[in-house]
Amino acid sequence: MTLAAATELATATNEHLAHISNALIYSSMAVYTLAFLAYIAEWLFGSRSKVARTAAALTAQKEAAGAAAPAVAVKSAGGTAVLERPKVVVRSAAGSRDVPDGPGAHGGDQQGDLYGRIAISLTVLAFLVELGGVVARAASVQRAPWGNMYEFNITFSTVAVGVYLALLALKKNVRWIGLFLTTTVLLDLGLAVTVLYTASDQLVPALHSYWLYIHVSTAIFCGAALYVGAVGTLAYLFKDSYENKLAGGGEPGSFAKSVLERLPAAASLDKFAYRINAAVFPLWTFTIIAGSIWAESAWGRYWGWDPKETWAFITWVAYACYLHARSTAGWKGRKAAYIALIAFACYLFNYYGVNIFVGGKHSYAGV
């Protein structure tokens, strides 16, 4: 076989693998859509159940606190007067309530639980199909599939689903994330195959380095894990507001009761988000360090305040502020949660905003 014939055969093979990758990505979107519908069915059937665990727990705590308040004996002239101990009203610190976790999206309903299990099975299938699409894309370009935003997107969503399934396998109470996850994954893949799609191509010389596998892979994993942490933080804010309203004697709306009662307690959600963010922070630090080492190899300098480098550092500072706020009196709970969401917004802008709207040395292959 001549060199020209071998080259032509290799090109045809790569194109065929690229078509297979595209077909698998579209197929995974179809399966994710079925999983999305199954998760919706789980939530709908779960809404028929009457949970009310949070309200019952907070009411019991309030009654117990009232009954346990001892009287105060005060001696007066000729006798003893018994006075009630004054009640001191303070805002509860984050995680101080003894509130049980909700049962999950199915709300204890058997049919809802069945749809939830079906949704998980479909999520696993979609994950495997999408993973096959990522591997086929890598084979078509004969490199790591992280050379442009399209490849980053399909890998990012795959890893995010992988993190979710891993947490489920570890028996963590995260099944309620499924609906939010499949929604964002479908949006992510829809954006990838329409706006961000880039045909298979080789990397520019600066990216031909083993640091590509180290730096970019850790960045993708960090983003996927931080996404799950951000979902937990957002859910915490809603559930904390719900518990605050109940503790204050308010009456939340029927929709809030139906949805938020089934989520874990605010303290559990806060702890879940914190543990993920705290665990990922050292890895994000390593990602920045690995990137600077790669920059010295590719461009002859460790740090140049390129827009991507700048926003990576801003993201690092934001998460450092969040971790510091968690250990600072007066900043725990909701204030720290707001900082966590701002930090994740910085990560998103570092990826989408910088790549699309800002130029720099990290701009390759269009988007």
Side-chain angles (χ1 to χ4, degrees):
M1 181 181 293
T2 64
L3 179 60
T7 303
E8 184 177 350
L9 177 61
T11 301
T13 302
N14 292 341
E15 290 178 354
H16 181 64
L17 288 170
H19 288 310
I20 293 176
S21 173
N22 294 340
L24 289 172
I25 295 300
Y26 277 105
S27 299
S28 71
M29 292 176 66
V31 183
Y32 277 128
T33 301
L34 295 177
F36 169 77
L37 296 174
Y39 282 120
I40 287 181
E42 179 186 19
W43 279 92
L44 289 177
F45 280 101
S47 65
R48 302 183 304 181
S49 61
K50 301 297 182 182
V51 184
R53 297 187 180 194
T54 306
L58 291 174
T59 302
Q61 289 176 35
K62 185 178 293 186
E63 292 175 351
V72 181
V74 180
K75 290 185 177 181
S76 60
T80 301
V82 178
L83 304 178
E84 292 293 329
R85 181 177 294 278
K87 295 181 179 180
V88 180
V89 180
V90 296
R91 191 181 187 281
S92 299
S96 62
R97 302 188 189 98
D98 185 17
V99 177
D101 290 336
H106 56 81
D109 182 84
Q110 290 186 353
Q111 196 166 4
D113 181 61
L114 175 62
Y115 277 107
R117 294 179 184 276
I118 293 173
I120 292 174
S121 299
L122 290 171
T123 304
V124 172
L125 177 59
F127 167 75
L128 294 175
V129 174
E130 186 182 11
L131 180 61
V134 173
V135 172
R137 176 74 176 198
S140 71
V141 294
Q142 299 179 1
R143 56 168 172 80
W146 311 319
N148 49 62
M149 287 186 69
Y150 168 75
E151 295 173 355
F152 193 100
N153 265 41
I154 61 175
T155 306
F156 176 86
S157 58
T158 304
V159 176
V161 176
V163 170
Y164 166 69
L165 295 177
L167 291 173
L168 283 177
L170 294 172
K171 307 298 183 182
K172 302 299 182 181
N173 182 16
V174 295
R175 201 166 103 179
W176 57 271
I177 296 179
L179 178 59
F180 308 101
L181 178 69
T182 51
T183 301
T184 51
V185 165
L186 284 170
L187 291 173
D188 178 78
L189 291 179
L191 183 66
V193 300
T194 55
V195 179
L196 301 178
Y197 181 77
T198 304
S200 300
D201 200 1
Q202 295 303 310
L203 296 174
V204 296
L207 295 183
H208 284 287
S209 171
Y210 61 89
W211 284 105
L212 170 69
Y213 296 89
I214 300 173
H215 172 66
V216 182
S217 63
T218 53
I220 292 174
F221 177 79
C222 286
L226 292 174
Y227 161 77
V228 175
V231 173
T233 300
L234 195 61
Y236 157 73
L237 289 172
F238 281 104
K239 189 63 181 277
D240 186 60
S241 295
Y242 176 73
E243 291 181 6
N244 285 338
K245 192 166 188 176
L246 286 174
E251 184 66 22
S254 58
F255 178 79
K257 282 184 179 180
S258 174
V259 174
L260 297 178
E261 274 287 349
R262 288 178 273 168
L263 294 179
S268 299
L269 292 168
D270 186 41
K271 185 184 298 182
F272 168 74
Y274 168 71
R275 286 179 174 176
I276 288 184
N277 291 331
V280 173
F281 183 74
L283 192 58
W284 182 250
T285 304
F286 171 78
T287 301
I288 296 177
I289 295 173
S292 66
I293 296 174
W294 187 11
E296 195 279 332
S297 174
W299 303 317
R301 52 53 168 191
Y302 288 100
W303 195 267
W305 295 106
D306 180 78
K308 180 72 71 172
E309 297 169 349
T310 301
W311 276 95
F313 179 70
I314 290 173
T315 303
W316 184 89
V317 170
Y319 275 106
C321 290
Y322 163 73
L323 295 177
H324 179 70
R326 286 278 312 192
S327 60
T328 303
W331 281 88
K332 296 180 180 180
R334 297 185 67 85
K335 290 181 179 179
Y338 291 135
I339 298 176
L341 291 181
I342 292 173
F344 185 67
C346 291
Y347 176 89
L348 290 179
F349 182 80
N350 183 38
Y351 177 55
Y352 288 102
V354 172
N355 283 12
I356 295 175
F357 303 111
V358 184
K361 286 184 175 293
H362 285 78
S363 300
Y364 299 110
V367 293

